Amino acid sequence: MSILEVKGLGKVYSSRFGGNKVEALKNVNFSVEAGEYVAIMGESGSGKTTLLNILAALDKPTAGTVILDGKNLKEVKESLVATFRRDNLGFVFQDFNLLDTFTLEDNIYLPLVLAGKSYKEMRECLIPIAGKLGISELLKKYPYEVSGGQKQRAAVVRAMITNPKLILADEPTGALDSRSTDELLRLFAEVNRMGQTILMVTHSVKAASVSSRVLFIKDGEVFHQIYRGGDTDEQLYQKINDTLTLLATGGMKK
């Protein structure tokens, strides 16, 4: 069953006075099944960030539709968009987006506080996830007291705390060293095995190689895709590298 359907998506940006128009996305079509782990790759300027912003209900398309768990994002009232986003989407950002004056625990609670949950309810949500993802002993620490990898781990728990339909990750390994990257990718794989659907935008071949499917965007269109099938991470890594090389040299035709 598809948890996310993107149909005929287009986005055109106009200059302030309407003189110049840039087509960031054109006729983008794909779907994501419940429990899938999908990576989106493409060169800078290919439309990845625009696509992610539309899926996150942070921007609106000029054409096409986005349907999340049967709900057309166009039909969500402007006054309810923030609530819809909070209740249905989890976010993992490159720069963690943690508040330094809050403990990790309080940072994780933020979406539930905004949803009006009691402390007892929040605690009941947090304890099992914190245990599974290995941050129980870090909850009382502040972001400046922990490593980048531990911050990102807390950010993943915060993204999961509302039991979202979909986690959107924007270059989640971009600010991490190689050791913390490996740790985060293991964490994402574990979260996905728990049944969480993940859509990740990344430049990292290594990050993409742990996903179940890779979509390649070029000039605002979904140009190609690779399914893992029975491939190992190493085999998928090589296929991704080969595809990126062909895309960059113009050796692959749509």
Side-chain angles (χ1 to χ4, degrees):
M1 175 186 171
S2 293
I3 195 82
L4 176 70
E5 295 180 67
V6 177
K7 301 178 179 179
L9 204 65
K11 179 67 178 180
V12 177
Y13 290 103
S14 298
S15 63
R16 187 175 178 184
F17 299 106
N20 296 317
K21 293 187 177 182
V22 176
E23 191 173 28
L25 296 174
K26 48 190 174 185
N27 196 32
V28 172
N29 296 278
F30 67 92
S31 62
V32 176
E33 301 296 308
E36 248 196 309
Y37 183 173
V38 179
I40 296 178
M41 302 193 77
E43 297 177 342
S44 295
S46 61
K48 301 189 308 298
T49 300
T50 299
L51 176 59
L52 192 71
N53 287 340
I54 291 173
L55 298 181
L58 295 168
D59 198 359
K60 294 189 176 187
T62 45
T65 56
V66 176
I67 299 172
L68 179 63
D69 197 30
K71 183 71 174 179
N72 189 334
L73 266 58
K74 280 185 177 178
E75 296 173 358
V76 180
K77 293 181 180 178
E78 196 67 39
S79 60
L80 298 176
V81 167
T83 301
F84 178 84
R85 193 185 299 127
R86 184 190 68 222
D87 293 345
N88 292 279
L89 299 168
F91 298 92
V92 180
F93 303 95
Q94 178 177 332
D95 56 0
F96 319 125
N97 278 21
L98 298 174
L99 299 173
D100 274 337
T101 54
F102 283 23
T103 62
L104 297 185
E105 182 176 18
D106 288 338
N107 269 285
I108 292 166
Y109 282 155
L110 273 176
L112 298 181
V113 170
L114 294 171
K117 300 292 184 183
S118 69
Y119 179 76
K120 183 172 181 282
E121 288 175 304
M122 293 191 294
R123 191 76 180 162
E124 287 172 352
C125 289
L126 174 60
I127 295 306
I129 301 175
K132 285 178 182 175
L133 302 189
I135 66 162
S136 299
E137 296 179 1
L138 301 173
L139 292 175
K140 299 301 182 184
K141 291 185 178 291
Y142 288 85
Y144 56 81
E145 296 179 306
V146 300
S147 69
Q150 290 169 330
K151 288 179 189 176
Q152 197 60 295
R153 187 172 283 259
V156 172
V157 175
R158 181 183 59 192
M160 292 183 64
I161 198 74
T162 58
N163 192 27
K165 304 289 191 307
L166 177 66
I167 284 182
L168 296 173
D170 185 11
E171 298 286 359
T173 62
L176 302 178
D177 59 30
S178 60
R179 182 177 176 182
S180 296
T181 292
D182 289 342
E183 179 186 330
L184 180 67
L185 294 179
R186 282 195 296 271
L187 179 62
F188 265 38
E190 175 62 26
V191 166
N192 180 240
R193 281 193 293 271
M194 290 163 61
Q196 179 65 61
T197 310
I198 301 172
L199 187 89
M200 172 178 62
V201 166
T202 183
H203 279 103
S204 167
V205 177
K206 185 174 188 177
S209 67
V210 301
S211 67
S212 55
R213 178 163 52 117
V214 185
L215 296 176
F216 298 88
I217 291 187
K218 183 176 182 181
D219 299 329
E221 297 181 87
V222 176
F223 196 81
H224 188 63
Q225 62 182 320
I226 295 174
Y227 286 86
R228 171 182 292 277
D231 288 346
T232 64
D233 288 357
E234 291 75 18
Q235 289 169 326
L236 187 57
Y237 184 102
Q238 190 58 55
K239 285 184 177 179
I240 294 168
N241 252 338
D242 292 345
T243 301
L244 289 173
T245 299
L246 287 168
L247 287 171
T249 58
M252 178 176 285
K253 303 298 182 184
K254 190 172 179 183

